[in-house]
Amino acid sequence: MEPVATVIGDLVGSRAASDRAKVHEAFADAIDEINREWDPVDPLRITVGDEYQGAFETVGAAIRATFRLRIALDPVVGVRHGISWGATRVLRDDPRVEDGPGWWSARAAIEAAEKAENKAASRSVRTWYQPVEEAGGPDPAAVNAALIARDELFHRLDRSSVSVLSGMLSGMSQKAIAAELDITPSAVSQRIRRDGIAVIVRADELLGEIR
């Protein structure tokens, strides 16, 4: 079995939402959008309750795709992710049931992310990476160091700055972002500099190069 980048995601605080139907509609729409744009090797699918899972060809693709899912859901609900690198196997096609160390480690990773959230020093963490030990894969210390820093910067953004970030990650010009948000290009530029948005974008590019 060839290793893949497995992902398990879980909505944060969705049970306290006043409109659960709206949350799950946004959740399903975001999952569909990521599947269209990122073509995962194992399409993302909602499993039980507020969880979803899927797999990508590389850890970098998994990191970038899950970050975009988080951004898409940000106006509605939070989401945390566990990412791993390891082998998986299909036990049944219909309904689809999968197993294997890649999934076990992704589960351990999302549990580590949740544990980090409960500590004051790392409360902004929403993504953790834990590869299967014998599968090789990128160094978890280096990857998690970058994820911790990225998540902290993202945590500090207000709603307008998240929209600016989303536009930049989509390849929009600052002028186009300003027009969409009905603010001046100067205001967009100020947010990019003040809020570290350019740093987040560059980190996203470099994280995407991880195999």
Side-chain angles (χ1 to χ4, degrees):
M1 297 179 290
E2 291 295 322
V4 292
T6 49
V7 172
I8 295 177
D10 182 29
L11 300 185
V12 179
S14 62
R15 294 178 183 176
S18 59
D19 190 341
R20 290 266 296 167
K22 179 181 178 181
V23 169
H24 272 269
E25 181 180 1
F27 188 23
D29 288 346
I31 291 288
D32 289 344
E33 182 70 16
I34 294 299
N35 282 334
R36 284 193 298 270
E37 292 190 1
W38 289 87
D39 193 26
V41 295
D42 186 357
L44 307 184
R45 61 192 182 281
I46 298 173
T47 53
V48 178
D50 295 338
E51 283 197 359
Y52 82 90
Q53 67 181 48
F56 294 82
E57 186 176 358
T58 68
V59 172
I63 290 172
R64 298 189 81 195
T66 53
F67 190 44
R68 282 152 180 78
L69 181 69
R70 181 181 178 188
I71 291 170
L73 289 174
D74 185 69
V76 180
V77 69
V79 60
R80 73 172 64 89
H81 292 104
I83 299 173
S84 184
W85 177 256
T88 66
R89 58 178 175 269
V90 177
L91 301 180
R92 179 187 294 177
D93 284 319
D94 189 19
R96 191 172 182 86
V97 178
E98 296 188 36
D99 194 15
W103 293 118
W104 306 334
S105 287
R107 173 64 61 189
I110 197 171
E111 290 173 353
E114 184 174 11
K115 184 177 180 181
E117 288 176 47
N118 294 325
K119 297 180 180 179
S122 55
R123 65 184 182 277
S124 63
V125 169
R126 291 295 181 274
T127 305
W128 199 258
Y129 165 66
Q130 183 170 319
V132 176
E133 189 171 340
E134 62 271 20
D139 175 31
V143 173
N144 285 320
L147 291 174
I148 289 169
R150 183 205 66 182
D151 282 356
E152 176 63 26
L153 286 173
F154 184 80
H155 178 72
R156 299 179 184 185
L157 301 183
D158 62 21
R159 189 61 50 79
S160 293
S161 289
V162 170
S163 295
V164 172
L165 171 62
S166 179
M168 290 189 67
L169 291 175
S170 299
M172 295 173 64
S173 68
Q174 292 187 30
K175 183 177 180 180
I177 294 170
E180 184 173 277
L181 299 179
D182 195 25
I183 58 178
T184 66
S186 176
V188 171
S189 180
Q190 289 173 11
R191 284 183 176 274
I192 290 171
R193 293 195 306 271
R194 181 194 68 201
D195 295 343
I197 293 174
V199 174
I200 299 174
V201 171
R202 183 56 179 151
D204 180 77
E205 293 171 352
L206 293 173
L207 285 166
E209 295 177 7
I210 296 172
R211 306 305 297 173

